[in-house]
Amino acid sequence: MHQLIRTARATGLFYLGLAVTGALGFLTARSMIFDADDAATTLANLVAHESLARAGIALELLVVLTQTLTAVWFYRLFRTVDGTAAGSIAAFGLVNAVAILGSAAVLATALQVATDGPGDAETVQLLYLVSGNLWEVGGLFFGLWLVPMGWCVLRSGWLPRPLGWVLVAGGVGYVLMTFVAYLAPGAGIAGDLLVVPATVGELWILGYLIVFGVRKQAQAGAGGRKREEASAPPSATAPLRRGR
């Protein structure tokens, strides 16, 4: 059980790293440079704040790193609960990480265009738009990974059951929001509300994993199963060992 708790807490810490680097990179550094309405302003900001732009690229690479580690550790945590669902968490998370890796490469290209000689404002603006759309379409898989995550929470009983339903709802909402962004770009607040359950679920699960690891009832139940297996007669446990 100590190993399970360590894995749960490591997963929560990696998820926290993903949340922090995403907020600092996409929501902060990017917004201080990119002007959606004026390509010349974007270029001027990029040249004037080169260090900030480089930090933004590094933060996106950290998003890739922390999401990859989070995906792998979620698989480690839930693989004995439901192998297919745990594998889906890892696969969907890794696909989203690849999308953000593409965004980081595009931002690096924009910085190179801006700083190597006279920059082309329209090219820089186009590259920033491509970066934003990589984040947008990658949101499809970010939503998808929340659904099997919620399923594993419900199946395992290791975390509060309502959290599982919030994660499933958040995943569905995030997937819908990805389509709404392109089919109804003027949806405004109505579209933004679709991702509220995802935000709540993510903060809830990373906080719970870091603070508690898994529920005490789950720890006791797993400990009881271990004792029962250890005390079972050889004839009962031998087939299980051969099956492994």
Side-chain angles (χ1 to χ4, degrees), residues 170-230:
V172 173
Y174 222 108
V175 170
L176 291 175
M177 180 56 191
T178 304
F179 286 95
V180 168
Y182 293 105
L183 296 176
I189 188 66
D192 294 339
L193 289 174
L194 289 171
V195 301
V196 170
T199 302
V200 172
E202 288 183 283
L203 294 175
W204 188 354
I205 192 170
L206 73 85
Y208 197 96
L209 289 172
I210 293 171
V211 175
F212 301 106
V214 295
R215 299 173 68 181
K216 291 183 178 179
Q217 299 93 318
Q219 297 176 34
R225 288 193 296 272
K226 291 288 187 181
R227 288 191 294 272
E228 288 175 8
E229 182 176 332

Side-chain angles (χ1 to χ4, degrees), residues 21-46:
T21 54
L24 291 177
F26 186 78
L27 298 178
T28 305
R30 176 189 177 86
S31 65
M32 295 175 68
I33 293 175
F34 177 60
D35 187 327
D37 301 318
D38 190 342
T41 300
T42 298
L43 176 61
N45 289 339
L46 198 54

Side-chain angles (χ1 to χ4, degrees), residues 4 12-13 26 30 34 44 66 71-72 106 113-114 118 123 125 136 159-160 170 177 196-197 202-203 212 218 222 227:
L4 177 61
L13 288 171
F26 186 78
R30 176 189 177 86
F34 177 60
T66 52
V72 172
V106 169
V113 169
T123 300
Q125 190 79 347
E136 198 74 57
L159 294 92
M177 180 56 191
V196 170
E202 288 183 283
L203 294 175
F212 301 106
R227 288 191 294 272

Side-chain angles (χ1 to χ4, degrees), residues 71 74-91 148 151-152:
F74 264 121
Y75 174 75
R76 292 187 62 186
L77 180 63
F78 289 129
R79 61 186 174 181
T80 59
V81 174
D82 187 321
T84 300
S88 297
I89 299 173
W151 175 250
C152 286

Side-chain angles (χ1 to χ4, degrees), residues 38-242:
D38 190 342
T41 300
T42 298
L43 176 61
N45 289 339
L46 198 54
V47 173
H49 305 290
E50 181 179 344
S51 296
L52 177 62
R54 293 188 183 280
I57 296 167
L59 285 166
E60 292 213 351
L61 291 175
L62 285 172
V63 169
V64 174
L65 177 61
T66 52
Q67 180 152 30
T68 299
L69 291 172
T70 305
V72 172
W73 254 255
F74 264 121
Y75 174 75
R76 292 187 62 186
L77 180 63
F78 289 129
R79 61 186 174 181
T80 59
V81 174
D82 187 321
T84 300
S88 297
I89 299 173
F92 296 150
L94 291 173
V95 172
N96 183 247
V98 170
I100 307 307
L101 186 65
S103 172
V106 169
L107 291 183
T109 305
L111 179 61
Q112 188 174 356
V113 169
T115 56
D116 289 355
D120 183 342
E122 295 301 326
T123 300
V124 168
Q125 190 79 347
L126 175 61
L127 290 169
Y128 264 83
L129 288 172
V130 172
S131 168
N133 278 285
L134 282 168
W135 274 84
E136 198 74 57
V137 298
L140 178 67
F141 284 92
F142 195 80
L144 284 175
W145 91 325
L146 294 177
V147 177
M149 189 186 301
W151 175 250
C152 286
V153 169
L154 293 170
R155 285 287 305 273
S156 68
W158 294 346
L159 294 92
R161 191 170 181 81
L163 171 58
W165 291 115
V166 171
L167 288 169
V168 171
V172 173
Y174 222 108
V175 170
L176 291 175
M177 180 56 191
T178 304
F179 286 95
V180 168
Y182 293 105
L183 296 176
I189 188 66
D192 294 339
L193 289 174
L194 289 171
V195 301
V196 170
T199 302
V200 172
E202 288 183 283
L203 294 175
W204 188 354
I205 192 170
L206 73 85
Y208 197 96
L209 289 172
I210 293 171
V211 175
F212 301 106
V214 295
R215 299 173 68 181
K216 291 183 178 179
Q217 299 93 318
Q219 297 176 34
R225 288 193 296 272
K226 291 288 187 181
R227 288 191 294 272
E228 288 175 8
E229 182 176 332
S231 62
S235 60
T237 58
L240 293 177
R241 289 195 294 269
R242 287 197 297 271

